[in-house]
C-alpha cells in the first residue's frame, strides 16, 4: 500500500485503518480522538483534573450557599408573617373574651384593658391619655386594637 493512501476498510472520509502496532486496526477516526494521532498534530496540554474538580466544587458551593441564603431570607419573612398572624389571633381571642357595651365599627381603634377590681378584660373607646382626669386606677391598659375587615383584631403599635 502506498503511504499517501492509508488503508480505509470503513471507507469513511475522515477515517483510516491504523497500522501503528504493526497490524491493521480498522476504522481509526482521528477527528474524534481527544489526543493528536500523528506527528505534526496540534499541541495539547493535559487537563489538570484535580484543580478543575476543586474549582467546580468551589463554584457549586458558592452558588448553593447563595441559594440557601436566599431561601433562608424567605423563611424569615414567612416566620415574621406567621408570628404576626398568631398575635392577631391572640388579640382576636382576647377581644372576643372582653366585656363591652357599645357597637363596634370596622376600622376603628379601641383599647383592651384589664380591670383589676372586676378581674376581667374590657374593650373600651378611651385610651390612657383620653381621660380628662386621668385613667381609672383599676385599669391596666394591655393593647390598642383595630377591628379589621376580615373580622379579626389587629394590635396597633
Amino acid at each position: 500500500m502506498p503511504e499517501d493512501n492509508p488503508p480505509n476498510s470503513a471507507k469513511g472520509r475522515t477515517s483510516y485503518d491504523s497500522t501503528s502496532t504493526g497490524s491493521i486496526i480498522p476504522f481509526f477516526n482521528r477527528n474524534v480522538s481527544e489526543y493528536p494521532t500523528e506527528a505534526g498534530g496540534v499541541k495539547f496540554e493535559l487537563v489538570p483534573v484535580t484543580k478543575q474538580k476543586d474549582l467546580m466544587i468551589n463554584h457549586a458551593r458558592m452558588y448553593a450557599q447563595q441559594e440557601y441564603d436566599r431561601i433562608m431570607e424567605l423563611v424569615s419573612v414567612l416566620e415574621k408573617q406567621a408570628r404576626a398572624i398568631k398575635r392577631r389571633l391572640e388579640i382576636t381571642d382576647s377581644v372576643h373574651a372582653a366585656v363591652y357595651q357599645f357597637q363596634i365599627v370596622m376600622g376603628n381603634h379601641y383599647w383592651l384593658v384589664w380591670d383589676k377590681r372586676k378581674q376581667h378584660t374590657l374593650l373600651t373607646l378611651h385610651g390612657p391619655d383620653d381621660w380628662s382626669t386621668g385613667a381609672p386606677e383599676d385599669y391596666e391598659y394591655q393593647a390598642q386594637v383595630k377591628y379589621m375587615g376580615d373580622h379579626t383584631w389587629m394590635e396597633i403599635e
Side-chain angles (χ1 to χ4, degrees), residues 113-151:
V113 177
W114 175 253
D115 188 339
K116 292 186 259 183
R117 187 170 50 90
K118 295 182 181 176
Q119 294 291 305
H120 62 79
T121 304
L122 300 173
L123 185 67
T124 180
L125 297 165
H126 304 293
D129 301 326
D130 295 338
W131 302 88
S132 59
T133 59
E137 292 178 3
D138 295 332
Y139 280 14
E140 188 178 296
Y141 284 87
Q142 296 177 330
Q144 186 179 17
V145 295
K146 179 180 179 181
Y147 189 44
M148 304 302 288
D150 61 356
H151 303 286

Side-chain angles (χ1 to χ4, degrees), residues 10-148:
K11 307 215 186 310
R13 191 173 57 130
T14 59
S15 63
Y16 63 91
D17 295 337
S18 174
T19 57
S20 61
T21 60
S23 59
I24 293 179
I25 303 170
F27 190 57
F28 181 77
N29 188 342
R30 66 178 171 199
N31 291 332
V32 175
S33 175
E34 56 188 287
Y35 303 110
T37 58
E38 55 196 45
V42 179
K43 182 181 176 189
F44 72 97
E45 296 291 329
L46 292 176
V47 176
V49 175
T50 305
K51 184 178 178 182
Q52 192 67 27
K53 283 182 181 180
D54 288 345
L55 288 173
M56 290 168 40
I57 288 171
N58 288 341
H59 286 180
R61 284 188 177 149
M62 180 181 72
Y63 290 118
Q65 186 65 46
Q66 287 175 347
E67 190 66 14
Y68 175 81
D69 292 343
R70 188 183 67 79
I71 290 170
M72 291 313 291
E73 284 179 35
L74 294 173
V75 166
S76 69
V77 168
L78 291 174
E79 284 176 338
K80 183 178 177 183
Q81 289 175 342
R83 283 192 301 273
I85 289 170
K86 185 177 180 186
R87 179 66 179 153
R88 205 162 159 176
L89 290 172
E90 290 168 355
I91 292 293
T92 299
D93 289 343
S94 296
V95 170
H96 285 292
V99 175
Y100 56 93
Q101 305 270 330
F102 52 88
Q103 181 67 38
I104 55 174
V105 178
M106 204 168 291
N108 282 3
H109 295 196
Y110 303 95
W111 286 90
L112 271 176
V113 177
W114 175 253
D115 188 339
K116 292 186 259 183
R117 187 170 50 90
K118 295 182 181 176
Q119 294 291 305
H120 62 79
T121 304
L122 300 173
L123 185 67
T124 180
L125 297 165
H126 304 293
D129 301 326
D130 295 338
W131 302 88
S132 59
T133 59
E137 292 178 3
D138 295 332
Y139 280 14
E140 188 178 296
Y141 284 87
Q142 296 177 330
Q144 186 179 17
V145 295
K146 179 180 179 181
Y147 189 44
M148 304 302 288

